[in-house]
């Protein structure tokens, strides 16, 4: 993509957060309510396979939502994902934005990668696909509202393994993304390789020049979808093959903090990240603890509870801190492992030094979260792991509005 065009696209997106609105066509449903507590607010959009939700509709809804929800004055920073860049090759079928008083906005996207040559917009299966994706969007919203309602009533979690609970930092934005990936070719034809859910949270210390992010990735392989009872799951099956569908093969996750909104030198950006030790063949709950490297108290840490489910696989730390970018690699040990044939789930966290560099007009990027995903179909020949492989990638750019034009 041309750099100037991409910069202009970012400015357009971020400007929409502060001014103007566009009408939402009747083909997309919009709603707003506070069903669980007075402090929880949300709005939604629902699209169709033949008429998905546009980036302009999302940006308009953001504006109205921001006008109706107050946020914590202690955190003047808010970040949003650029929907044009993140979902340009996808159909957005469901969108939610939710927040409580004092919390930054959390956006939820339910998407489906386009397969333009398959006539999906007029397929008899389209209604079933839409019902499935709308139900997923409702499920994400229900989960978020319950979590926010509960968090407003509970005492922040504590642990002997860290000093500051993650929840005590100011929320500046977050996203839940659920995507169904496009058809991939294999020896028997083509099928969709799987569904992936990506949950990211960006928070900032209210007292120290630190900012952090968490990213949870849950990979549901095509083999499992094919064998499930979800509607229209035949897109994930491989007729004529004994393998049913694609399996999880790999994933790489990057937190890139070396961005224009932060004036910290690249070498000094990354304070800490998690995990720093390789995790292998585990299914368990664990505690993440990351050092803030604050001079007045070098031992000060921020942390959270998380879970990992990668039986028969490894999560490997490949980070070089001087690059300003963390890197973790999820790798399958065996094509017959549970992490390959069934769901695999893991989480990455990082903390960076924060020195605001958002002085020029328009928008600036704070963080890029890049994810490379891989799937495979086993090879029956001994000594050869995969007969077919396929991959896809995601980039979520978190951006903030700097100043008027």
């Amino acid at each position: 993509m041309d750099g100037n065009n991409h910069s202009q696209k970012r400015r357009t997106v971020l400007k929409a957060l502060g001014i103007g609105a566009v009408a939402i066509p009747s083909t997309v449903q919009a709603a707003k309510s506070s069903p669980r507590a007075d402090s929880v607010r949300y709005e939604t959009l629902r699209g169709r396979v033949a008429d998905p939700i546009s980036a302009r509709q999302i940006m308009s809804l953001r504006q109205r939502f921001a006008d109706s929800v107050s946020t914590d004055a202690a955190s003047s920073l808010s970040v949003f994902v650029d929907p044009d860049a993140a979902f340009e090759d996808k159909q957005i079928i469901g969108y939610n934005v939710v927040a409580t008083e004092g919390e930054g906005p959390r956006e939820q996207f339910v998407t489906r990668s386009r397969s333009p040559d398959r006539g999906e917009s007029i397929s008899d299966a389209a209604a079933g696909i839409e019902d499935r994706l709308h139900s997923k969007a409702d499920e994400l919203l229900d989960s978020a509202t319950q979590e926010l309602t509960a968090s407003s009533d509970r005492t922040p979690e504590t642990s002997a393994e860290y000093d500051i609970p993650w929840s005590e930092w100011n929320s500046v934005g977050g996203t839940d993304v659920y995507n169904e990936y496009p058809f991939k070719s294999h020896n028997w034809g083509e099928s969709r390789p799987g569904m992936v859910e990506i949950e990211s949270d960006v928070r900032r210390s209210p007292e120290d020049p630190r900012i952090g992010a968490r990213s949870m990735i849950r990979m549901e392989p095509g083999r499992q979808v094919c064998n499930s009872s979800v509607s229209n799951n035949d897109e994930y099956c491989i007729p004529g093959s004994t393998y049913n569908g694609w399996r999880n093969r790999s994933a790489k996750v990057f937190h890139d903090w070396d961005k224009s909104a932060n004036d910290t030198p690249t070498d000094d950006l990354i304070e800490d990240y998690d995990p720093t030790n390789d995790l292998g063949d585990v299914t368990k709950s664990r505690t993440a603890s990351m050092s803030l490297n604050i001079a007045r108290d070098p031992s000060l840490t921020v942390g959270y509870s998380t879970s990992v489910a990668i039986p028969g696989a490894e999560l490997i730390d490949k980070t070089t801190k001087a690059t300003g970018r963390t890197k973790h690699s999820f790798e399958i040990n065996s094509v017959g492992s549970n992490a390959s044939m069934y769901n695999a789930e893991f989480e990455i966290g990082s903390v960076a030094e924060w020195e605001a560099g958002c002085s020029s007009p328009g928008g600036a990027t704070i963080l890029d979260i890049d994810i490379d995903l891989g799937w495979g179909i086993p090879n029956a020949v001994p000594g050869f792991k995969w007969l077919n492989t396929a991959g896809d990638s995601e980039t979520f750019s978190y951006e903030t509005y700097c100043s008027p034009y």
Side-chain angles (χ1 to χ4, degrees), residues 26 29 51-52 63 82 90 111 125 135 147 159 163 213 224-225 251 268 294 301 313 322 333 339 350 400:
S26 59
Q29 303 171 358
D51 190 9
Q63 170 62 42
D82 177 347
K90 298 177 176 65
T111 63
S135 293
E147 180 180 341
S159 172
D163 302 303
Q224 177 166 301
V225 180
D268 299 328
I294 302 297
T301 58
N333 294 334
S350 64
T400 188

Side-chain angles (χ1 to χ4, degrees), residues 103-144:
E103 287 285 309
R106 183 162 201 87
E107 296 184 286
Q108 299 176 320
F109 301 85
V110 174
T111 63
R112 179 176 169 85
S113 293
R114 290 189 176 95
S115 295
D117 298 331
R118 301 183 65 87
E120 291 180 319
S121 63
I122 58 174
S123 169
D124 291 339
I129 293 168
E130 290 162 5
D131 288 344
R132 181 176 75 219
L133 297 180
H134 289 171
S135 293
K136 184 62 182 182
D138 294 342
E139 175 189 323
L140 292 177
L141 178 63
D142 187 60
S143 177

Side-chain angles (χ1 to χ4, degrees), residues 250-314:
S250 64
K252 291 182 175 63
V253 184
F254 306 85
H255 283 186
D256 188 353
W257 290 102
D258 191 17
K259 298 299 171 184
S260 58
N262 196 339
D263 280 345
T264 304
T266 301
D267 289 358
D268 299 328
L269 273 169
I270 303 297
E271 299 294 358
D272 205 359
Y273 58 90
D274 180 84
T276 54
N277 297 315
D278 298 346
L279 300 175
D281 194 23
V282 294
T283 298
K284 66 176 183 178
S285 297
R286 55 181 297 271
T287 298
S289 178
M290 297 177 288
S291 174
L292 305 188
N293 290 323
I294 302 297
R296 58 179 171 78
D297 189 351
S299 66
L300 200 63
T301 58
V302 63
Y304 52 85
S305 296
T306 183
S307 62
V308 58
I310 52 171
E314 294 181 282

